[in-house]
Amino acid sequence: MLAGVILLAAAVIASHISANKKKICTVKTHGVVYKMERRQGMYSSIDNDIPLTMWYPTYEYSVGQKIRRTTSKVGYSKKLFEEGQTISLYYAPEDPSQIYVPDAQVRWVFILLCGMGFVFLLVGIAIYFTFRWLFYI
């Protein structure tokens, strides 16, 4: 049950962060994917380490007469963009380094986290009531 609650909480937090960015980043502009940085790491499982590659885009865009570059704090497991690709993005008027890129939103992650959270929660509840029924008869 705990795993289900954690996954559901992660889905809600990720959704809230994305919605908040969308809310504060209101000025639309066009930018260019300046660079796609590839970072290698290791995902440790119980019996072995699995290589993990994440892609971090750096976006270049204009705010007034100033050119800005912002690197995403979120990495993606696949290369979403190509370097030099033109994209639409939104920035916050108070802080132009805060950006929201609609094409970089991975909506299926929210759905997957919610689905897995509900499954784990329901399985946990079913196991709890099954053991309770078996041992209290």
Side-chain angles (χ1 to χ4, degrees), residues 52-81:
L52 179 66
T53 300
M54 299 296 284
W55 295 92
Y56 291 82
T58 298
Y59 306 104
E60 184 177 81
Y61 53 100
S62 297
V63 177
Q65 299 299 320
K66 186 175 180 184
I67 301 291
R68 300 190 65 99
R69 287 189 188 143
T70 302
T71 301
S72 175
K73 293 176 180 80
V74 177
Y76 302 95
S77 59
K78 66 179 185 176
K79 199 172 180 182
L80 293 180
F81 305 110

Side-chain angles (χ1 to χ4, degrees), residues 46-119:
I46 293 172
D47 55 352
N48 61 357
D49 290 337
I50 302 166
L52 179 66
T53 300
M54 299 296 284
W55 295 92
Y56 291 82
T58 298
Y59 306 104
E60 184 177 81
Y61 53 100
S62 297
V63 177
Q65 299 299 320
K66 186 175 180 184
I67 301 291
R68 300 190 65 99
R69 287 189 188 143
T70 302
T71 301
S72 175
K73 293 176 180 80
V74 177
Y76 302 95
S77 59
K78 66 179 185 176
K79 199 172 180 182
L80 293 180
F81 305 110
E82 294 297 324
E83 290 180 4
Q85 181 178 345
T86 301
I87 50 129
S88 293
L89 62 85
Y90 296 82
Y91 64 86
E94 303 81 31
D95 180 10
S97 67
Q98 295 262 347
I99 62 171
Y100 174 78
V101 182
D103 292 340
Q105 303 306 306
V106 188
R107 290 167 185 82
W108 62 266
V109 171
F110 172 75
I111 295 167
L112 181 67
L113 285 174
C114 279
M116 288 175 52
F118 278 119
V119 168

Side-chain angles (χ1 to χ4, degrees), residues 29-49:
T29 189
H30 294 285
V32 173
V33 178
Y34 178 75
K35 177 173 69 169
M36 286 296 293
E37 182 182 349
R38 180 179 163 186
R39 297 183 192 168
Q40 295 282 126
M42 296 300 270
Y43 170 77
S44 295
S45 64
I46 293 172
D47 55 352
N48 61 357
D49 290 337

Side-chain angles (χ1 to χ4, degrees), residues 1-15 110-122:
M1 285 192 295
L2 182 60
V5 170
I6 290 170
L7 288 170
L8 287 171
V12 168
I13 290 168
S15 176
F110 172 75
I111 295 167
L112 181 67
L113 285 174
C114 279
M116 288 175 52
F118 278 119
V119 168
F120 275 96
L121 188 61
L122 292 175

